[in-house]
Amino acid sequence: MKSDNYIRLELPSRSSNEAVARGVVAAFAAQLDPTLEELGDIKTAVSEAVTNCIVHAYPDRIGIIVLQCQIVQDTLEIVVRDRGRGIENLEQARRPLFTTGGAERSGMGFTIMESFMTELRVQSQPGKGTTVRMKKRIFSRRVYQ
Amino acid sequence: MRYTSYVQDQHLTIALAGEIDHHAAREVMRAVADKIDAYLPSLCCLDFREVTFMDSSGIAVVLNAIRRMRELGGNLEIKNVPAQPMRVLKTAGIEKLMELGSEAK
Ligand SMILES: Nc1ncnc2c1ncn2[C@@H]1O[C@H](COP(=O)(O)OP(=O)(O)OP(=O)(O)O)[C@@H](O)[C@H]1O
Ligand SMILES: [Mg+2]
């Protein structure tokens, strides 16, 4: 499908980049004129995906996170990719409350991405990395004005 | 991430401000734990009025605070939660563990 506009950005997996990533995506998404709630959902989902790269994909080194966004008609598509540790059992990982992160994590990241976005797809290969694809359809307010 | 706290009649209130993500969570978690352990309150209230963003890292902050207060035989309360953190807390089912208070306007 033809993309109307896109961004592609590389970030080192430093925790200070969590705010950078969601800020950039929010600024890009503004073109679709989302409501405050839709914008909050997008920022939260991006924060979850990027934090997972920082915490789980690269637990003891700084790796590269690739963040891509594109707009296709009324839909924002987001891809977050790492080349880190990967996930052995995806079905288990996506279950609410499942975590390998101990008391500092709650195991709700994938559940939040899934319920806040229109679509969530996760691909992973142990030792190779993980790709998270999310879509959010924005029901433009302009139409009704 | 900033916070202020005060104690009155065994009730500890910690007002959190700013963004609670993984980058900020460790400091917040330590601050909340330190305040609880310093004052041993019967009720700890987390005031979310000034929280501008929260992701799942904030859920762990709340769950750890609930756990610590229960160990002390006390309770945790959350109040003045803006819409975005409220959606995150509700997705995590926190309202089943405690009173969430009303949404901040
Ligand atoms: N990019 C990733 N690379 C490697 N493992 C991952 C990645 N993302 C998620 N995981 C694995 O999937 C589990 C579940 O992820 P999820 O985001 O749902 O919860 P969490 O990160 O453990 O906790 P929370 O997001 O609530 O802080 C993680 O504990 C981790 O084992
Ligand atoms: Mg997570």
Side-chain angles (χ1 to χ4, degrees):
Chain A
M1 216 186 288
K2 186 180 157 289
S3 162
D4 302 322
N5 195 9
Y6 71 92
I7 51 171
R8 186 178 194 281
L9 132 109
E10 257 184 44
L11 304 148
S13 61
R14 297 184 193 284
S15 61
S16 57
N17 281 331
E18 293 155 9
V20 174
R22 59 180 185 263
V24 166
V25 176
F28 182 74
Q31 303 163 72
L32 286 168
D33 194 23
T35 62
L36 264 184
E37 178 170 292
E38 288 166 335
L39 204 56
D41 288 354
I42 291 164
K43 285 172 71 175
T44 315
V46 169
S47 204
E48 296 300 341
V50 169
T51 300
N52 279 352
C53 300
I54 292 165
V55 175
H56 304 297
Y58 305 115
D60 36 38
R61 67 185 168 105
I62 299 296
I64 290 173
I65 304 168
V66 176
L67 172 66
Q68 287 170 274
C69 299
Q70 62 172 347
I71 287 169
V72 180
Q73 289 159 11
D74 59 356
T75 300
L76 175 69
E77 303 184 0
I78 303 168
V79 180
V80 178
R81 178 178 293 130
D82 66 66
R83 300 217 169 277
R85 206 177 47 184
I87 302 171
E88 291 278 353
N89 184 339
L90 257 179
E91 199 220 323
Q92 181 187 49
R94 288 181 64 157
R95 235 174 264 156
L97 302 179
F98 177 84
T99 182
T100 57
E104 284 188 11
R105 310 253 56 96
S106 59
M108 289 304 294
F110 280 134
T111 306
I112 287 170
M113 289 182 246
E114 198 167 313
S115 54
F116 285 21
M117 301 296 275
T118 316
E119 194 181 306
L120 169 70
R121 279 197 245 171
V122 189
Q123 286 174 310
S124 191
Q125 247 186 304
K128 292 254 168 74
T130 302
T131 302
V132 170
R133 289 191 171 78
M134 302 183 277
K135 289 185 187 178
K136 178 91 170 168
R137 188 166 168 226
I138 303 301
F139 297 92
S140 180
R141 288 176 291 173
R142 286 196 200 100
V143 177
Y144 305 103
Q145 277 168 7
Chain B
M1 186 69 227
R2 292 154 284 124
Y3 63 91
T4 51
S5 66
Y6 61 90
V7 188
Q8 195 173 29
D9 307 327
Q10 285 262 307
H11 291 182
L12 167 67
T13 300
I14 306 173
L16 305 169
E19 304 197 319
I20 309 179
D21 60 7
H22 157 254
H23 182 67
R26 190 164 297 172
E27 193 194 327
V28 183
M29 234 179 261
R30 184 169 315 126
V32 171
D34 286 353
K35 292 290 173 203
I36 291 175
D37 288 352
Y39 297 111
L40 305 173
S42 59
L43 178 73
C44 173
C45 178
L46 300 180
D47 188 335
F48 269 68
R49 189 187 297 280
E50 305 285 322
V51 173
T52 51
F53 175 83
M54 189 189 99
D55 65 17
S56 66
S57 309
I59 300 170
V61 171
V62 172
L63 290 177
N64 282 322
I66 293 178
R67 195 174 306 133
R68 188 71 191 117
M69 284 309 297
R70 287 196 179 158
E71 282 167 8
L72 294 173
N75 282 308
L76 187 86
E77 196 180 87
I78 305 184
K79 67 176 182 192
N80 301 322
V81 187
Q84 187 275 335
M86 186 62 103
R87 264 170 80 71
V88 173
L89 289 170
K90 282 193 169 157
T91 305
I94 299 283
E95 79 272 22
K96 286 175 210 129
L97 294 175
M98 61 185 302
E99 197 65 39
L100 263 185
S102 59
E103 210 166 281
K105 285 285 162 288

